[in-house]
């Protein structure tokens, strides 16, 4: 697409380049709505992907309810709740960042996006402490589990799901932080304007989706007894 | 090739020059050709493995490879043919080339993503092939647990390769859905949409919805190796049957990712070479979606003998039979189209007829296997092998090769040699039936699949089958030779040698870089208004 041909240095966040839409589209609006549709479809694939692990979780939960009940007590509800709050706030800052970009207020947008990355980093930090604490106690997934404090049969399976589900989620958070960094550099290079903010909006979609997954993970893993 | 093409002016082949211009192209036509070359390469590779497997089974007591090598060959034949050949064959190569042109569009909706899909496919293929040199994999292409957890590390690379290649499939499907939704030329209403596009749309839905489930299943399987998560490992309280459910939740719909595009190709070829409007246009279009829908609720028929509940067996058996209805609608509509038509037996039509014959046998034997009592007897026998080869080779590959001949003049601007094409087809159709029909008989007599050595009582069928595989090789080599030679020095084809009415034939052959030049085509009629031999 055309933005690649913008000469470096000429445009910046305050003076963005004019947008030329792809030659196979009729208008910028046409291009934008197509990109949005593509992103929605991608979200659907993510739902199916995460959905399969949820099905596995439910299946084993029904099969070994006692083990899952006992094992979930080992999780730190306070840290989980803290992370939930962090992600909800990050969704709010993301919305503000996207709206600012849509209105052409690129400086404000950059500020909000940096805050979002910061909150994502906080989430990962909390997760890091949770994980290392578990490892320290000997709580590992499945076959590597050697925690003395909880010996209910099949409890290690609960932690397999815990680590896989939160691990895949955390991976998505890190990818999201990289994507936000990418759109910040694009804003700084003057490639985002009131007329063209597709990447910002789509990364916003993604970020909200990742938050939404956590909204399901938190009660399923931490709260449900 | 570029030199003679210049005589016809600027086209997508000479628009830019050099290897780098191909590697960085975002032109859907070039990406389609790159997929075509890769798919053909892997078809050749997977085919060699198949030939060795057949040679090994030719005479009982005379193996040509040892048992461990045999298991690896069998795994590689399956994994390469499924993930790297049949799934991308028609959508990613022919579909990439033809889909935007049939829509009257300049490109797919996301051209860069399209190129990325290709490189993701290549990366997946590279990982899978690396395993060849690192111990290999011997699980069969289905990677069933717990064996796939216990066997050597080479299998991780193959699993990772299939995982990566899956994303290529997802992104191609996503790209096609948005392209069909958003980039139709003025006047191209849904009721005027060519049937190949209906089929590709239905295929794309399956790719987008089913592939992610395989992706996560393969990730979990890798985690079984690396982190011992135990979800699929009975020794750790996990459930190997859950793996089978997850695996087939993708891999059964994947069968329709393979066959629906071929049905689309056949739906284009038959009216053109019968010079008659397609019979049951709307029924064929809806049948594609019917098949896609049913595709998602029949996976349990792969688990009839895996300890699934009797109720589940009964329900999945019944649902599986429903597949026969939309499929039958299509077959009868094609036959109805040919009835009293002015049929021309050019190579694409020969392959379409071959498709109908072979696919009908493959489809009907599928109904046998859907029947519970019969399936218990036939499970894990060569009957199953014969059944799915009739569908996948007899169906998908026939459609693929038929489509390659049909669009050859558009892609290259040349005509292929019709006589060579006819003899190649004869060799393939004889070879195919000789290879796989005896397997039906051997299967009903109890010959087990996947075994390295077979009993002498099956020698007759095994020998026939192996001889048949040589005719298949001969036929496909003739096709390849014909294509390569004709692309270099075939006679000029003209823009529309078949007098077809879909939009891609209104462009030049080979098409210009932006498909239709400065004018956007406008559609005023249905693409199947054929009115007899001369119109």
């Amino acid at each position: 697409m055309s933005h690649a041909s913008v000469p470096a240095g000429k445009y910046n966040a305050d003076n963005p380049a004019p947008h030329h839409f792809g030659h196979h589209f009729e208008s910028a609006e046409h291009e934008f709505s197509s990109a949005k549709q593509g992103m929605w479809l991608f979200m659907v694939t993510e739902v199916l992907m995460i959905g399969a692990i949820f099905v596995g979780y439910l299946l084993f939960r029904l099969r070994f309810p006692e083990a899952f009940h006992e094992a979930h007590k080992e999780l730190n509800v306070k840290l989980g709740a803290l992370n939930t709050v962090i992600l909800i706030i990050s969704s709010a800052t993301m919305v503000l960042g996207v709206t600012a970009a849509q209105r052409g207020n690129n400086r404000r947008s950059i500020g909000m996006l940096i805050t979002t990355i910061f909150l994502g980093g906080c989430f990962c930090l909390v997760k890091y402490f949770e994980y290392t604490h578990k490892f320290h106690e000997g709580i590992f997934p499945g076959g590597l589990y050697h925690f003395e404090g909880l010996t209910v049969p099949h409890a290690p399976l609960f932690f397999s799901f815990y680590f896989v589900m939160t691990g895949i989620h955390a991976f998505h958070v890190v990818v999201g932080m990289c994507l936000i960094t990418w759109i910040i550099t694009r804003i700084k290079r003057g490639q985002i304007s009131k007329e063209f903010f597709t990447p910002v909006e789509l990364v916003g979609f993604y970020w909200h989706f990742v938050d939404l997954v956590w909204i399901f993970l938190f009660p399923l893993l931490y709260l449900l007894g | 090739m570029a030199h003679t093409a210049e005589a016809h002016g600027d086209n997508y082949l000479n628009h830019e020059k050099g290897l780098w211009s191909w590697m960085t192209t975002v032109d859907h036509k070039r990406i389609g050709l790159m997929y075509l070359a890769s798919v053909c390469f892997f078809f050749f590779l997977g085919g060699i493995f198949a030939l060795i497997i057949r040679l090994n089974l030719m005479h009982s007591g005379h193996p040509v490879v040892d048992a461990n090598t045999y298991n690896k060959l069998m795994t590689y034949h399956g994994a390469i043919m499924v993930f790297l050949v049949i799934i991308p064959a028609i959508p990613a190569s022919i579909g990439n080339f033809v889909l935007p042109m049939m829509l009257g569009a300049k490109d797919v909706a996301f051209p860069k993503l399209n190129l990325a899909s290709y490189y993701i496919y290549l990366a997946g293929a590279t990982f899978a092939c690396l395993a060849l040199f690192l111990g290999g994999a011997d699980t069969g292409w289905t990677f069933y647990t717990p064996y796939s957890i216990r066997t050597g590390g080479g299998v991780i690379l193959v699993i990772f390769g299939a995982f990566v290649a899956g994303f290529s499939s997802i992104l191609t499907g996503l790209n096609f859905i948005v392209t069909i939704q958003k980039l139709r030329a003025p006047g191209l209403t849904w009721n005027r949409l060519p049937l190949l596009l209906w089929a590709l749309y239905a295929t794309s839905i399956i790719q987008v919805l089913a592939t992610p489930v395989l992706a996560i299943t393969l990730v979990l399987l890798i985690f079984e190796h690396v982190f011992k998560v135990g979800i699929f490992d009975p020794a750790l309280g996990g459930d190997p049957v859950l793996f089978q459910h997850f695996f087939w939740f993708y891999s059964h719909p994947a069968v329709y990712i393979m066959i629906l595009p071929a049905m689309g190709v056949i739906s284009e070829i038959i009216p053109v070479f019968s010079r008659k409007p397609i019979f049951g246009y709307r029924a064929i279009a809806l049948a594609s979606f019917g098949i896609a829908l049913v595709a998602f609720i029949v996976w349990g028929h792969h688990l009839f003998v895996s300890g699934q509940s009797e109720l589940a067996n009964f329900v999945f058996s019944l649902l599986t039979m429903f597949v026969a209805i939309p499929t039958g609608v299509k077959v009868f509509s094609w036959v109805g189209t040919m009835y009293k038509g002015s049929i021309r037996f050019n190579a694409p039509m020969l392959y379409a007829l071959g498709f109908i014959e072979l696919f009908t046998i493959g489809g009907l034997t599928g109904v046998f296997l859907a029947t519970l009592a019969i399936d218990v007897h036939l499970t894990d026998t060569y009957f199953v092998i014969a059944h799915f080869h009739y569908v996948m080779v007899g169906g998908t590959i026939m459609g693929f090769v038929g489509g390659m001949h049909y669009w050859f003049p558009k892609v290259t601007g040349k005509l292929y040699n019709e006589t060579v094409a006819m003899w190649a087809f004869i060799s393939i159709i004889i070879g195919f039936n000789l290879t796989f029909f005896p397997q039906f008989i051997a299967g009903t007599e109890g010959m087990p699949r996947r075994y390295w050595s077979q009993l002498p009582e099956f020698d007759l069928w095994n020998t026939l089958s192996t001889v048949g595989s040589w005719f298949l090789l001969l036929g496909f080599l003739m096709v390849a030779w014909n294509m390569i030679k004709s692309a270099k020095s075939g006679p000029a084809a003209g823009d529309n040698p078949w007098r077809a009415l879909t939009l891609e034939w209104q462009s030049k052959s080979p098409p210009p870089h932006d498909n239709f030049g400065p004018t956007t085509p406008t559609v005023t009629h249905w693409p199947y208004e054929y009115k007899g031999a001369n119109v």
Side-chain angles (χ1 to χ4, degrees):
Chain A
M1 267 178 275
S2 48
H3 45 70
S5 59
V6 173
K10 193 176 167 192
Y11 299 107
N12 56 43
D14 295 323
N15 176 30
H19 176 62
H20 305 286
F21 52 87
H23 75 126
H24 52 300
F25 291 111
E26 285 161 18
S27 63
E29 171 55 31
H30 189 204
E31 182 184 70
F32 177 61
S33 68
S34 302
K36 243 178 18 181
Q37 194 175 67
M39 197 62 192
W40 276 112
L41 284 168
F42 181 71
M43 295 288 108
V44 171
T45 69
E46 289 273 13
V47 169
L48 264 294
M49 194 162 105
I50 306 278
I53 327 183
F54 275 88
V55 168
Y57 168 86
L58 288 174
L59 209 77
F60 281 98
R61 187 181 179 88
L62 292 172
R63 200 171 292 179
F64 309 121
E66 232 168 294
F68 273 54
H69 176 71
E70 292 303 320
H72 101 281
K73 290 179 184 166
E74 296 298 322
L75 299 185
N76 189 330
V77 181
K78 281 180 189 157
L79 288 182
L82 174 66
N83 256 350
T84 310
V85 174
I86 289 175
L87 278 192
I88 290 175
I89 298 174
S90 82
S91 255
T93 55
M94 190 69 194
V95 173
L96 294 172
V98 173
T99 316
Q102 287 171 343
R103 292 181 182 161
N105 193 345
N106 278 340
R107 300 223 151 250
R108 183 180 156 82
S109 180
I110 290 175
M112 285 300 162
L113 292 174
I114 288 175
T115 316
T116 311
I117 293 182
F118 172 75
L119 289 167
C122 291
F123 175 88
C124 292
L125 194 68
V126 173
K127 211 77 226 134
Y128 168 79
F129 285 124
E130 280 191 82
Y131 274 16
T132 46
H133 179 69
K134 296 272 172 302
F135 296 155
H136 187 71
E137 285 187 311
I139 296 179
F140 287 97
L144 303 172
Y145 181 90
H146 54 83
F147 178 48
E148 305 286 330
L150 178 73
T151 50
V152 190
H154 305 304
L157 268 178
F158 173 83
F159 293 105
S160 293
F161 279 105
Y162 167 75
F163 283 115
V164 168
M165 292 167 104
T166 56
I168 288 176
H169 176 262
F171 172 76
H172 279 82
V173 172
V174 173
V175 170
M177 288 161 67
C178 297
L179 288 172
I180 299 173
T181 312
W182 170 67
I183 53 175
I184 290 175
T185 51
R186 290 198 62 176
I187 296 175
K188 285 189 170 171
R189 284 183 192 158
Q191 294 170 1
I192 302 294
S193 62
K194 229 185 322 191
E195 285 72 40
F196 178 71
F197 47 80
T198 311
V200 186
E201 174 134 356
L202 298 192
V203 171
F205 271 24
Y206 175 85
W207 190 259
H208 295 315
F209 172 78
V210 174
D211 288 358
L212 193 61
V213 172
W214 180 258
I215 298 297
F216 283 91
L217 285 180
F218 175 60
L220 268 188
L221 294 168
Y222 289 77
L223 300 181
L224 222 60
Chain B
M1 186 161 66
H3 179 71
T4 46
E6 266 167 13
H8 304 281
D10 184 58
N11 63 50
Y12 79 102
L13 293 166
N14 62 22
H15 183 70
E16 288 174 298
K17 289 200 178 64
L19 184 64
W20 186 246
S21 78
W22 280 82
M23 287 171 67
T24 56
T25 186
V26 290
D27 183 341
H28 66 98
K29 301 183 287 300
R30 285 185 165 203
I31 295 171
L33 281 190
M34 293 187 327
Y35 264 116
L36 183 69
S38 314
V39 163
C40 289
F41 169 77
F42 287 113
F43 182 63
F44 182 70
L45 193 66
I48 301 255
F49 295 146
L51 288 166
I52 302 173
I53 290 172
R54 275 318 325 157
L55 211 55
N56 188 71
L57 297 175
M58 189 170 179
H59 297 298
S60 56
H62 292 86
V64 295
V65 291
D66 64 73
N68 281 330
T69 312
Y70 180 84
N71 289 345
K72 287 174 188 170
L73 288 172
M74 172 197 91
T75 304
Y76 270 95
H77 169 66
I80 287 179
M81 287 302 200
V82 169
F83 294 116
L84 302 180
V85 179
I86 314 181
I87 285 178
I90 297 178
S93 63
I94 292 176
N96 239 324
F97 193 99
V98 173
L99 178 136
M101 298 197 70
M102 275 189 162
L103 290 172
K106 289 190 168 78
D107 210 320
V108 292
F110 311 116
K112 282 182 189 167
L113 190 68
N114 199 19
L115 182 66
S117 311
Y118 175 70
Y119 282 111
I120 293 171
Y121 164 81
L122 273 194
T126 310
F127 281 117
C129 290
L130 264 183
L132 272 174
F133 307 102
L134 296 169
D138 59 353
T139 58
W141 77 277
T142 52
F143 312 122
Y144 269 19
T145 55
Y147 183 65
S148 59
I149 304 173
R150 305 274 180 273
T151 186
V155 74
I156 296 183
L157 276 172
V158 184
I159 293 167
F160 189 66
F163 168 77
V164 172
F167 280 95
S168 156
S169 185
I170 291 174
L171 295 176
T172 301
L174 185 155
N175 219 336
F176 282 6
I177 291 178
V178 178
T179 309
I180 295 175
Q181 286 285 149
K182 294 283 182 183
L183 296 181
R184 301 193 306 278
L188 188 53
T189 58
W190 289 104
N191 283 326
R192 290 174 183 164
L193 200 66
L195 287 165
L196 175 64
L197 300 189
W198 278 106
L200 285 174
Y201 196 126
T203 307
S204 301
I205 290 176
I206 306 178
Q207 285 176 302
V208 166
L209 292 183
T211 319
V213 177
L214 177 77
I216 195 66
T217 308
L218 296 179
V219 167
L220 287 175
L221 193 49
I222 293 171
F223 285 176
E224 290 286 346
H225 273 267
V226 184
F227 304 121
K228 305 214 177 332
V229 289
I231 293 168
F232 301 135
D233 189 348
L236 297 171
D239 188 349
V241 179
L242 181 66
F243 176 84
Q244 298 184 19
H245 277 290
F246 279 178
F247 182 84
W248 289 111
F249 184 84
Y250 164 76
S251 296
H252 194 78
V255 173
Y256 305 109
I257 295 178
M258 303 171 194
I259 197 66
L260 280 171
M263 290 171 157
V265 169
I266 302 307
S267 304
E268 295 301 327
I269 291 174
I270 285 181
V272 172
F273 292 91
S274 304
R275 309 311 300 166
K276 257 190 71 190
I278 187 96
F279 180 85
Y281 167 83
R282 206 168 286 187
I284 295 178
L286 290 177
S288 288
F289 279 78
I291 291 173
L293 182 74
V294 180
F296 281 99
I297 47 175
V298 299
W299 80 90
H301 66 226
H302 294 271
L303 287 86
F304 281 163
V305 296
S306 296
Q308 192 175 235
S309 78
E310 279 176 24
L311 177 68
N313 276 355
F314 167 74
V315 172
F316 278 122
S317 168
L318 184 71
L319 290 172
T320 303
M321 308 247 177
F322 285 145
V323 180
I325 298 169
T327 312
V329 165
K330 287 193 180 230
V331 173
F332 286 120
S333 295
W334 294 324
V335 175
T337 307
M338 288 188 286
Y339 178 67
K340 288 191 175 173
S342 310
I343 295 176
R344 295 178 294 172
F345 290 100
N346 295 80
M349 189 62 175
L350 292 175
Y351 283 98
L353 295 171
F355 176 98
I356 293 178
E357 183 235 324
L358 303 178
F359 176 76
T360 303
I361 295 175
L364 287 176
T365 50
V367 180
F368 294 21
L369 290 168
T371 312
L372 281 171
I374 297 175
D375 183 74
V376 171
H377 176 69
L378 294 175
T379 292
D380 280 341
T381 68
Y382 259 77
F383 190 90
V384 180
I385 302 281
H387 155 68
F388 73 70
H389 280 85
Y390 264 83
V391 176
M392 291 184 190
V393 186
T396 310
I397 298 294
M398 284 285 149
F400 178 55
V401 180
M404 274 168 71
H405 284 88
Y406 178 61
W407 282 289
F408 185 84
K410 182 51 61 186
V411 173
T412 61
K414 310 286 176 58
L415 287 173
Y416 60 82
N417 184 318
E418 199 71 68
T419 315
V420 177
M422 185 188 73
W423 284 108
F425 171 77
I426 290 171
S427 183
I428 289 173
I429 197 93
I430 290 175
F432 182 87
N433 283 298
L434 196 56
T435 307
F436 293 107
F437 204 84
Q439 297 183 1
F440 278 128
I441 303 166
T444 53
E445 290 176 0
M447 183 169 131
R449 65 188 282 198
R450 297 197 185 96
Y451 281 31
W452 165 63
S453 65
Q454 297 287 358
L455 293 170
E457 64 206 73
F458 301 120
D459 267 0
L460 170 65
W461 307 127
N462 275 322
T463 308
L464 284 175
S465 189
T466 305
V467 172
S469 70
W470 302 337
F471 280 97
L472 271 176
L473 172 71
L474 177 71
F476 285 120
L477 285 178
M478 284 165 80
V479 170
W481 182 76
N482 192 12
M483 295 271 149
I484 293 167
K485 187 160 189 309
S486 305
K488 276 186 180 156
S489 55
D495 292 342
N496 190 0
W498 311 127
R499 291 178 296 145
L501 296 176
T502 41
L503 274 180
E504 78 274 24
W505 296 102
Q506 288 183 17
S507 172
K508 293 200 165 8
S509 299
H513 172 64
D514 55 2
N515 292 348
F516 295 96
T519 53
T520 307
T522 307
V523 181
T524 53
H525 56 82
W526 196 54
Y528 301 107
E529 296 289 357
Y530 300 104
K531 298 187 181 86
N534 302 316
V535 187

